[in-house]
Amino acid sequence: MKLTIKLFMTLTALLCLSGLSAQASNNQQPEPDPNFYIFICFGQSNMEGAARPEAQDLVSAGPRFLLLPAVDDPQRGRKRGVWCEATPPLCRPNNGLTPADYFGRTLVASLPEHIRIGVIHVAIGGIKIEGFMPTEIAEYVKTAPAWMKGMLEAYDNNPYQQLVELGRMAQRDGVIKGVLMHQGESNTDDPEWAGKVQKVYDQLLGDLQLKPEEVPLLAGEVVQADGHGQCIAMNKQIDALPKTIHTAQVVSSTGCTNGPDRLHFDAAGYRELGCRYGELMARLLGYEPRRPQFETHKPLDVPADAFIAETTVPGNDFPKVDSEHRAYFRVSAPEARSVILDICSKKYDMQPDGHGGWMCVTDPLPVGFHYYFVNIGGQNFIDPSTETFFGCNRQAGGIEIPEGPEGDYYRPQQGVPAGQVRSIYYWSASKQEWRHAMVYTPAEYEEQGARGKVRGAKRYPVLYLQHGMGEDETGWSKQGHMQHIMDNLISTGQAVPMIVVMESGDIKAPFNFASGASNQQGRSDYGASFYPVLVNDLIPYIDQHFRTLADREHRAMAGLSWGGHQTFDVVLTHLDLFAWMGTFSGAIFGLDVPTAYDGVFADANAFNKKIHYFYMNWGTDDFIQGGALAESLRAAGIRVDTAVSAGTGHEWLTWRRGLRDFVPHLFKK
């Protein structure tokens, strides 16, 4: 009996030990997946990724394409050494698209569905190959430029060791099948570069216990830029690399597009180069290459006669205008999903150009100046390539579609003395605030006399010139080219020298039509807050600080659109201050001529004696037409001169023409 119990206990102990042994076996690290192909990627800025990804690049290729991050990326929830789906940026949080992105996507498209692709990615912009050599890295870190130190620190000042550590982690999960390198720009003309690359490659294979025949090295050429690449000479050494490393393969960069620095590829260039890396590797693995689906874009055909618009910020190639007055636009918005150009009351869908930009061409546009916006995601933005102009109640982009020689009247001319447009600030007691105005003085205002002193005796008449709704005091000088119109007219004797004053008029914000408030002439509150400012503050300031003829005979007022509305309201209620008036597309609504302004038009003879010149103009395509009002005034005996601008609408060309016609009549009897 005792023997039986002892035997039972022995057998039980053996069974327990056997169970523990089986449990320990079950807790062992699983075998690496032979169908998980892993690739080590290293190099400098073009491997790091210098182009911003576009929207299509940010869509994941799915769980078959994975990244083993080398650094943490809290924004994307990535942890160093933990596999995640591979979407850009693959390198570090603030990098861009790299060849590795479309390398992996190409392999996913080319290899059977049961095979997964993983990448390890370590790259540093500007780093020499010595930065990956274990024997050189310590000294390299000491002498690295300041801008590189943060990138080196991200890899604990040893990017090679990061490759090894991550490679060992990856080998627990899959099989390393290749090494991708894009490096060399910083070693251009280094005759020992190939030998240094061999040392890095051999050391890496040795540390990871890999066989070179099973892990080829793929090296990409640098930017060619149609023969003008900054480091194109390095391609000779890259092309010769297989002579030093027998398992090396070279990826051509011929035709891969680049950025303006001719050093880095653009997004389309990275896609193409990455596909070529992937196609080469697919063949080496024994598969027929297939490219992933992505958008390719035919570049917009810009004719040779297109020229950069005069409103384009210097250093930009767009906007452009061709001989048919079509305008060509390009904006950089690589992550946008749609971009719309809004100009001349028409919207154009812009098309991606494959390089992070969006382009479009308009229908032929009317000559003259036009505001425009770029709409991204429902929000209007200013094209950063254009000068800005205050219009549409905000800063806006603008483009000039040039006239021929007929537009010379608003262009500066050689030999014509130029006046000045001054920016002034003055205190308004009426509103208890500082206000801003622009003041034009004719060229002779500052001319010196024979003894070198500024002539101080001559005084000048003054024109108060107002802009329209949603614009500001800079409009007449920036969009309207008022100063050139004045200079040209004065130099030819068509106009007398005069001072021109331009103020915001409290109409920068829009009129609230939905409020139900009146916009009839003389009854609208919109902009009326400017009237006491003009009469009580601005006119006295100008007369005090400039050499003016401070009487009604030498004071005029005119305005475009709502500025014309204000001109009627001010002049017709202050005939003691003004003797000349004009409107350009004047926003005159609901005017009953016999009763308006306390019957100012009732005695036509008296009115015609007080207002020495009265002018109105509008465009043939203008939504504000002044013909009916002019006829009503004439029927009442009021002298009013009118002009219609052929082929123009409610726009600056109409108003430039109006100013040109109006000014020669001022201050002459």
mmCIF file with all atom_site columns, all heavy atoms in Angstrom, residues 163-178:
data_model
loop_
_atom_site.group_PDB
_atom_site.id
_atom_site.type_symbol
_atom_site.label_atom_id
_atom_site.label_alt_id
_atom_site.label_comp_id
_atom_site.label_asym_id
_atom_site.label_entity_id
_atom_site.label_seq_id
_atom_site.pdbx_PDB_ins_code
_atom_site.Cartn_x
_atom_site.Cartn_y
_atom_site.Cartn_z
_atom_site.occupancy
_atom_site.B_iso_or_equiv
_atom_site.pdbx_formal_charge
_atom_site.auth_seq_id
_atom_site.auth_comp_id
_atom_site.auth_asym_id
_atom_site.auth_atom_id
_atom_site.pdbx_PDB_model_num
ATOM 1   N N   . LEU A 1 163 ? 19.304 51.587 -36.385 1.00 0.00 ? 163 LEU A N   1
ATOM 2   C CA  . LEU A 1 163 ? 18.996 50.609 -37.427 1.00 0.00 ? 163 LEU A CA  1
ATOM 3   C C   . LEU A 1 163 ? 19.179 49.187 -36.910 1.00 0.00 ? 163 LEU A C   1
ATOM 4   O O   . LEU A 1 163 ? 18.344 48.306 -37.161 1.00 0.00 ? 163 LEU A O   1
ATOM 5   C CB  . LEU A 1 163 ? 19.883 50.847 -38.647 1.00 0.00 ? 163 LEU A CB  1
ATOM 6   C CG  . LEU A 1 163 ? 19.620 52.102 -39.482 1.00 0.00 ? 163 LEU A CG  1
ATOM 7   C CD1 . LEU A 1 163 ? 20.691 52.230 -40.567 1.00 0.00 ? 163 LEU A CD1 1
ATOM 8   C CD2 . LEU A 1 163 ? 18.239 52.052 -40.119 1.00 0.00 ? 163 LEU A CD2 1
ATOM 9   N N   . VAL A 1 164 ? 20.258 48.967 -36.184 1.00 0.00 ? 164 VAL A N   1
ATOM 10  C CA  . VAL A 1 164 ? 20.544 47.624 -35.682 1.00 0.00 ? 164 VAL A CA  1
ATOM 11  C C   . VAL A 1 164 ? 19.501 47.197 -34.651 1.00 0.00 ? 164 VAL A C   1
ATOM 12  O O   . VAL A 1 164 ? 18.960 46.081 -34.710 1.00 0.00 ? 164 VAL A O   1
ATOM 13  C CB  . VAL A 1 164 ? 21.964 47.565 -35.081 1.00 0.00 ? 164 VAL A CB  1
ATOM 14  C CG1 . VAL A 1 164 ? 22.201 46.210 -34.396 1.00 0.00 ? 164 VAL A CG1 1
ATOM 15  C CG2 . VAL A 1 164 ? 23.019 47.791 -36.167 1.00 0.00 ? 164 VAL A CG2 1
ATOM 16  N N   . GLU A 1 165 ? 19.206 48.081 -33.698 1.00 0.00 ? 165 GLU A N   1
ATOM 17  C CA  . GLU A 1 165 ? 18.260 47.716 -32.640 1.00 0.00 ? 165 GLU A CA  1
ATOM 18  C C   . GLU A 1 165 ? 16.867 47.456 -33.213 1.00 0.00 ? 165 GLU A C   1
ATOM 19  O O   . GLU A 1 165 ? 16.205 46.481 -32.844 1.00 0.00 ? 165 GLU A O   1
ATOM 20  C CB  . GLU A 1 165 ? 18.204 48.823 -31.589 1.00 0.00 ? 165 GLU A CB  1
ATOM 21  C CG  . GLU A 1 165 ? 19.492 48.933 -30.762 1.00 0.00 ? 165 GLU A CG  1
ATOM 22  C CD  . GLU A 1 165 ? 19.403 50.034 -29.716 1.00 0.00 ? 165 GLU A CD  1
ATOM 23  O OE1 . GLU A 1 165 ? 18.307 50.615 -29.549 1.00 0.00 ? 165 GLU A OE1 1
ATOM 24  O OE2 . GLU A 1 165 ? 20.432 50.294 -29.069 1.00 0.00 ? 165 GLU A OE2 1
ATOM 25  N N   . LEU A 1 166 ? 16.432 48.325 -34.099 1.00 0.00 ? 166 LEU A N   1
ATOM 26  C CA  . LEU A 1 166 ? 15.127 48.123 -34.711 1.00 0.00 ? 166 LEU A CA  1
ATOM 27  C C   . LEU A 1 166 ? 15.127 46.884 -35.607 1.00 0.00 ? 166 LEU A C   1
ATOM 28  O O   . LEU A 1 166 ? 14.129 46.161 -35.691 1.00 0.00 ? 166 LEU A O   1
ATOM 29  C CB  . LEU A 1 166 ? 14.730 49.360 -35.511 1.00 0.00 ? 166 LEU A CB  1
ATOM 30  C CG  . LEU A 1 166 ? 14.397 50.605 -34.678 1.00 0.00 ? 166 LEU A CG  1
ATOM 31  C CD1 . LEU A 1 166 ? 14.330 51.835 -35.559 1.00 0.00 ? 166 LEU A CD1 1
ATOM 32  C CD2 . LEU A 1 166 ? 13.090 50.424 -33.926 1.00 0.00 ? 166 LEU A CD2 1
ATOM 33  N N   . GLY A 1 167 ? 16.246 46.654 -36.283 1.00 0.00 ? 167 GLY A N   1
ATOM 34  C CA  . GLY A 1 167 ? 16.352 45.461 -37.116 1.00 0.00 ? 167 GLY A CA  1
ATOM 35  C C   . GLY A 1 167 ? 16.213 44.192 -36.293 1.00 0.00 ? 167 GLY A C   1
ATOM 36  O O   . GLY A 1 167 ? 15.535 43.239 -36.717 1.00 0.00 ? 167 GLY A O   1
ATOM 37  N N   . ARG A 1 168 ? 16.827 44.163 -35.115 1.00 0.00 ? 168 ARG A N   1
ATOM 38  C CA  . ARG A 1 168 ? 16.720 42.978 -34.256 1.00 0.00 ? 168 ARG A CA  1
ATOM 39  C C   . ARG A 1 168 ? 15.293 42.800 -33.751 1.00 0.00 ? 168 ARG A C   1
ATOM 40  O O   . ARG A 1 168 ? 14.789 41.672 -33.637 1.00 0.00 ? 168 ARG A O   1
ATOM 41  C CB  . ARG A 1 168 ? 17.702 43.096 -33.097 1.00 0.00 ? 168 ARG A CB  1
ATOM 42  C CG  . ARG A 1 168 ? 19.158 42.905 -33.537 1.00 0.00 ? 168 ARG A CG  1
ATOM 43  C CD  . ARG A 1 168 ? 20.135 43.227 -32.435 1.00 0.00 ? 168 ARG A CD  1
ATOM 44  N NE  . ARG A 1 168 ? 21.519 42.947 -32.866 1.00 0.00 ? 168 ARG A NE  1
ATOM 45  C CZ  . ARG A 1 168 ? 22.606 43.454 -32.288 1.00 0.00 ? 168 ARG A CZ  1
ATOM 46  N NH1 . ARG A 1 168 ? 22.474 44.269 -31.232 1.00 0.00 ? 168 ARG A NH1 1
ATOM 47  N NH2 . ARG A 1 168 ? 23.815 43.157 -32.736 1.00 0.00 ? 168 ARG A NH2 1
ATOM 48  N N   . MET A 1 169 ? 14.635 43.940 -33.410 1.00 0.00 ? 169 MET A N   1
ATOM 49  C CA  . MET A 1 169 ? 13.221 43.841 -33.015 1.00 0.00 ? 169 MET A CA  1
ATOM 50  C C   . MET A 1 169 ? 12.393 43.260 -34.152 1.00 0.00 ? 169 MET A C   1
ATOM 51  O O   . MET A 1 169 ? 11.555 42.377 -33.956 1.00 0.00 ? 169 MET A O   1
ATOM 52  C CB  . MET A 1 169 ? 12.668 45.238 -32.668 1.00 0.00 ? 169 MET A CB  1
ATOM 53  C CG  . MET A 1 169 ? 13.210 45.870 -31.419 1.00 0.00 ? 169 MET A CG  1
ATOM 54  S SD  . MET A 1 169 ? 12.388 47.482 -31.162 1.00 0.00 ? 169 MET A SD  1
ATOM 55  C CE  . MET A 1 169 ? 13.413 48.159 -29.864 1.00 0.00 ? 169 MET A CE  1
ATOM 56  N N   . ALA A 1 170 ? 12.636 43.766 -35.361 1.00 0.00 ? 170 ALA A N   1
ATOM 57  C CA  . ALA A 1 170 ? 11.848 43.339 -36.512 1.00 0.00 ? 170 ALA A CA  1
ATOM 58  C C   . ALA A 1 170 ? 12.058 41.870 -36.831 1.00 0.00 ? 170 ALA A C   1
ATOM 59  O O   . ALA A 1 170 ? 11.128 41.185 -37.293 1.00 0.00 ? 170 ALA A O   1
ATOM 60  C CB  . ALA A 1 170 ? 12.201 44.190 -37.726 1.00 0.00 ? 170 ALA A CB  1
ATOM 61  N N   . GLN A 1 171 ? 13.261 41.359 -36.586 1.00 0.00 ? 171 GLN A N   1
ATOM 62  C CA  . GLN A 1 171 ? 13.549 39.964 -36.904 1.00 0.00 ? 171 GLN A CA  1
ATOM 63  C C   . GLN A 1 171 ? 12.766 38.984 -36.039 1.00 0.00 ? 171 GLN A C   1
ATOM 64  O O   . GLN A 1 171 ? 12.658 37.812 -36.379 1.00 0.00 ? 171 GLN A O   1
ATOM 65  C CB  . GLN A 1 171 ? 15.051 39.702 -36.770 1.00 0.00 ? 171 GLN A CB  1
ATOM 66  C CG  . GLN A 1 171 ? 15.853 40.292 -37.927 1.00 0.00 ? 171 GLN A CG  1
ATOM 67  C CD  . GLN A 1 171 ? 17.352 40.077 -37.774 1.00 0.00 ? 171 GLN A CD  1
ATOM 68  O OE1 . GLN A 1 171 ? 17.911 40.365 -36.720 1.00 0.00 ? 171 GLN A OE1 1
ATOM 69  N NE2 . GLN A 1 171 ? 17.991 39.577 -38.823 1.00 0.00 ? 171 GLN A NE2 1
ATOM 70  N N   . ARG A 1 172 ? 12.218 39.466 -34.937 1.00 0.00 ? 172 ARG A N   1
ATOM 71  C CA  . ARG A 1 172 ? 11.360 38.601 -34.129 1.00 0.00 ? 172 ARG A CA  1
ATOM 72  C C   . ARG A 1 172 ? 10.015 38.363 -34.819 1.00 0.00 ? 172 ARG A C   1
ATOM 73  O O   . ARG A 1 172 ? 9.304  37.405 -34.507 1.00 0.00 ? 172 ARG A O   1
ATOM 74  C CB  . ARG A 1 172 ? 11.100 39.231 -32.757 1.00 0.00 ? 172 ARG A CB  1
ATOM 75  C CG  . ARG A 1 172 ? 12.345 39.502 -31.936 1.00 0.00 ? 172 ARG A CG  1
ATOM 76  C CD  . ARG A 1 172 ? 11.990 40.338 -30.717 1.00 0.00 ? 172 ARG A CD  1
ATOM 77  N NE  . ARG A 1 172 ? 13.169 40.821 -30.019 1.00 0.00 ? 172 ARG A NE  1
ATOM 78  C CZ  . ARG A 1 172 ? 13.159 41.808 -29.123 1.00 0.00 ? 172 ARG A CZ  1
ATOM 79  N NH1 . ARG A 1 172 ? 12.003 42.409 -28.832 1.00 0.00 ? 172 ARG A NH1 1
ATOM 80  N NH2 . ARG A 1 172 ? 14.272 42.201 -28.539 1.00 0.00 ? 172 ARG A NH2 1
ATOM 81  N N   . ASP A 1 173 ? 9.658  39.284 -35.723 1.00 0.00 ? 173 ASP A N   1
ATOM 82  C CA  . ASP A 1 173 ? 8.340  39.234 -36.335 1.00 0.00 ? 173 ASP A CA  1
ATOM 83  C C   . ASP A 1 173 ? 8.351  38.813 -37.799 1.00 0.00 ? 173 ASP A C   1
ATOM 84  O O   . ASP A 1 173 ? 7.346  38.314 -38.309 1.00 0.00 ? 173 ASP A O   1
ATOM 85  C CB  . ASP A 1 173 ? 7.672  40.613 -36.242 1.00 0.00 ? 173 ASP A CB  1
ATOM 86  C CG  . ASP A 1 173 ? 7.567  41.096 -34.809 1.00 0.00 ? 173 ASP A CG  1
ATOM 87  O OD1 . ASP A 1 173 ? 7.047  40.342 -33.975 1.00 0.00 ? 173 ASP A OD1 1
ATOM 88  O OD2 . ASP A 1 173 ? 8.009  42.232 -34.528 1.00 0.00 ? 173 ASP A OD2 1
ATOM 89  N N   . GLY A 1 174 ? 9.449  39.083 -38.479 1.00 0.00 ? 174 GLY A N   1
ATOM 90  C CA  . GLY A 1 174 ? 9.485  38.785 -39.898 1.00 0.00 ? 174 GLY A CA  1
ATOM 91  C C   . GLY A 1 174 ? 10.904 38.573 -40.389 1.00 0.00 ? 174 GLY A C   1
ATOM 92  O O   . GLY A 1 174 ? 11.826 38.350 -39.600 1.00 0.00 ? 174 GLY A O   1
ATOM 93  N N   . VAL A 1 175 ? 11.077 38.704 -41.698 1.00 0.00 ? 175 VAL A N   1
ATOM 94  C CA  . VAL A 1 175 ? 12.353 38.399 -42.331 1.00 0.00 ? 175 VAL A CA  1
ATOM 95  C C   . VAL A 1 175 ? 12.838 39.634 -43.091 1.00 0.00 ? 175 VAL A C   1
ATOM 96  O O   . VAL A 1 175 ? 12.108 40.190 -43.928 1.00 0.00 ? 175 VAL A O   1
ATOM 97  C CB  . VAL A 1 175 ? 12.222 37.216 -43.311 1.00 0.00 ? 175 VAL A CB  1
ATOM 98  C CG1 . VAL A 1 175 ? 13.570 36.873 -43.924 1.00 0.00 ? 175 VAL A CG1 1
ATOM 99  C CG2 . VAL A 1 175 ? 11.615 36.005 -42.609 1.00 0.00 ? 175 VAL A CG2 1
ATOM 100 N N   . ILE A 1 176 ? 14.056 40.094 -42.808 1.00 0.00 ? 176 ILE A N   1
ATOM 101 C CA  . ILE A 1 176 ? 14.619 41.238 -43.509 1.00 0.00 ? 176 ILE A CA  1
ATOM 102 C C   . ILE A 1 176 ? 15.017 40.798 -44.911 1.00 0.00 ? 176 ILE A C   1
ATOM 103 O O   . ILE A 1 176 ? 15.798 39.861 -45.093 1.00 0.00 ? 176 ILE A O   1
ATOM 104 C CB  . ILE A 1 176 ? 15.815 41.825 -42.750 1.00 0.00 ? 176 ILE A CB  1
ATOM 105 C CG1 . ILE A 1 176 ? 15.342 42.394 -41.397 1.00 0.00 ? 176 ILE A CG1 1
ATOM 106 C CG2 . ILE A 1 176 ? 16.500 42.923 -43.575 1.00 0.00 ? 176 ILE A CG2 1
ATOM 107 C CD1 . ILE A 1 176 ? 16.460 42.914 -40.506 1.00 0.00 ? 176 ILE A CD1 1
ATOM 108 N N   . LYS A 1 177 ? 14.488 41.504 -45.911 1.00 0.00 ? 177 LYS A N   1
ATOM 109 C CA  . LYS A 1 177 ? 14.673 41.105 -47.300 1.00 0.00 ? 177 LYS A CA  1
ATOM 110 C C   . LYS A 1 177 ? 15.487 42.096 -48.122 1.00 0.00 ? 177 LYS A C   1
ATOM 111 O O   . LYS A 1 177 ? 15.796 41.807 -49.289 1.00 0.00 ? 177 LYS A O   1
ATOM 112 C CB  . LYS A 1 177 ? 13.297 40.929 -47.968 1.00 0.00 ? 177 LYS A CB  1
ATOM 113 C CG  . LYS A 1 177 ? 12.516 39.718 -47.487 1.00 0.00 ? 177 LYS A CG  1
ATOM 114 C CD  . LYS A 1 177 ? 13.100 38.441 -48.070 1.00 0.00 ? 177 LYS A CD  1
ATOM 115 C CE  . LYS A 1 177 ? 12.222 37.240 -47.770 1.00 0.00 ? 177 LYS A CE  1
ATOM 116 N NZ  . LYS A 1 177 ? 12.708 36.014 -48.442 1.00 0.00 ? 177 LYS A NZ  1
ATOM 117 N N   . GLY A 1 178 ? 15.807 43.243 -47.578 1.00 0.00 ? 178 GLY A N   1
ATOM 118 C CA  . GLY A 1 178 ? 16.559 44.204 -48.370 1.00 0.00 ? 178 GLY A CA  1
ATOM 119 C C   . GLY A 1 178 ? 16.874 45.460 -47.591 1.00 0.00 ? 178 GLY A C   1
ATOM 120 O O   . GLY A 1 178 ? 16.309 45.731 -46.527 1.00 0.00 ? 178 GLY A O   1
#
